[in-house]
Amino acid sequence: ETGVTQSPTHLIKTRGQQVTLRCSSQSGHNTVSWYQQALGQGPQFIFQYYREEENGRGNFPPRFSGLQFPNYSSELNVNALELDDSALYLCASSSRQEFHTQYFGPGTRLTVL
Amino acid sequence: KNEVEQSPQNLTAQEGEFITINCSYSVGISALHWLQQHPGGGIVSLFMLSSGKKKHGRLIATINIQEKHSSLHITASHPRDSAVYICAVPRGETSGSRLTFGEGTQLTVNP
C-alpha cells in the first residue's frame, strides 16, 4: 500500500481560473514529484521538490508552480488555466536513499471548461 | 523520437494467452520501471529492474541493457490483467530521479 494520497479526486474549473492540488507523501519520503498525464498519453514530468525546494523541472510554463511543506506534503498550483491543462495530475513520493522507487498517488482528474 | 517507446499501443487477447509488451529506450539508464495503471488513474509499480529478469506471480520482466530493450510478459492472462502498462526510466541520478514514461500499452483480456 503506497500511502500517498491526493486531493481532490476530481475537479472542474473554467479557463482563466486558478487551481491548487494537494499531495500527502508516504511516511519517511522527503521527495515529491508531480506529473501531468493527458488522455491517452504517458505522464509528463512537471517538477520535483526535495526538502521544500524545487529540485528539477520539466517543460512546463511558470504558471505551474509548487510548494513542499516541512511535513513533506506538497501542492501543485496552476494559474490562468487553459483547456489543454485538462489532465490527470499524479504525484509520486520517494526517499533519497531509494530515489529510483517512486510511489504514486491515485491522481487528481482536472477538467478545464 | 521519444526517449521511451512502447509497442504495441493496444493489445487485445483471449483469457489464457501469453502476452508480451515491449519497451525500447534511447538514453543510458541504470534501471527501468514497469508500471500498471487501471481505469481511474492510480499507478502501481510492478517491477524495477536493472539487469536480467524478475518474476512476480504471472508477470515476468526482462531487460537487456546493451540493446536498450525491456519486455513485460504475462503468462496465463486473465481479464483482471486488463489495464495500461507503462515502462518508465529514471533520469537524473544525482539531482533527484524523475521518470520519463512511455505512452503505455492498453491491454484488454477478454474472457
Side-chain angles (χ1 to χ4, degrees), chain A:
Chain A
E1 190 161 336
T2 71
V4 180
T5 60
Q6 290 187 244
S7 63
T9 54
H10 295 85
L11 199 52
I12 299 175
K13 292 283 190 178
T14 56
R15 274 188 306 173
Q17 285 189 311
Q18 179 266 342
V19 68
T20 298
L21 311 182
R22 294 179 175 83
C23 172
S24 179
S25 304
Q26 180 153 319
S27 178
H29 286 182
N30 53 20
T31 302
V32 174
S33 303
W34 284 92
Y35 297 90
Q36 180 197 64
Q37 186 178 23
L39 197 62
Q41 298 182 19
Q44 298 288 319
F45 176 74
I46 303 175
F47 43 55
Q48 182 184 89
Y49 277 82
Y50 169 64
R51 288 191 174 181
E52 303 177 56
E53 292 194 1
E54 189 178 288
N55 182 46
R57 188 179 182 91
N59 189 26
F60 280 81
R63 59 190 185 84
F64 285 77
S65 63
L67 283 174
Q68 188 181 31
F69 299 100
N71 66 355
Y72 302 133
S73 65
S74 178
E75 287 183 354
L76 164 66
N77 299 290
V78 187
N79 294 322
L81 284 167
E82 301 177 359
L83 296 179
D84 285 349
D85 297 332
S86 296
L88 180 70
Y89 288 85
L90 296 158
C91 78
S93 75
S94 57
S95 69
R96 247 2 202 192
Q97 293 74 24
E98 296 181 308
F99 58 83
H100 281 328
T101 301
Q102 298 194 12
Y103 296 87
F104 285 85
T108 294
R109 175 75 62 187
L110 172 65
T111 301
V112 182
L113 303 176

Side-chain angles (χ1 to χ4, degrees), chain B residues 97-111:
Chain B
S97 180
R98 66 171 82 169
L99 291 176
T100 297
F101 295 80
E103 297 205 344
T105 295
Q106 173 70 63
L107 171 65
T108 303
V109 182
N110 294 317

Side-chain angles (χ1 to χ4, degrees), chain B residues 72-90:
Chain B
L72 176 68
H73 306 284
I74 305 175
T75 62
S77 59
H78 190 275
R80 65 175 174 263
D81 297 326
S82 298
V84 176
Y85 292 84
I86 307 172
C87 69
V89 299

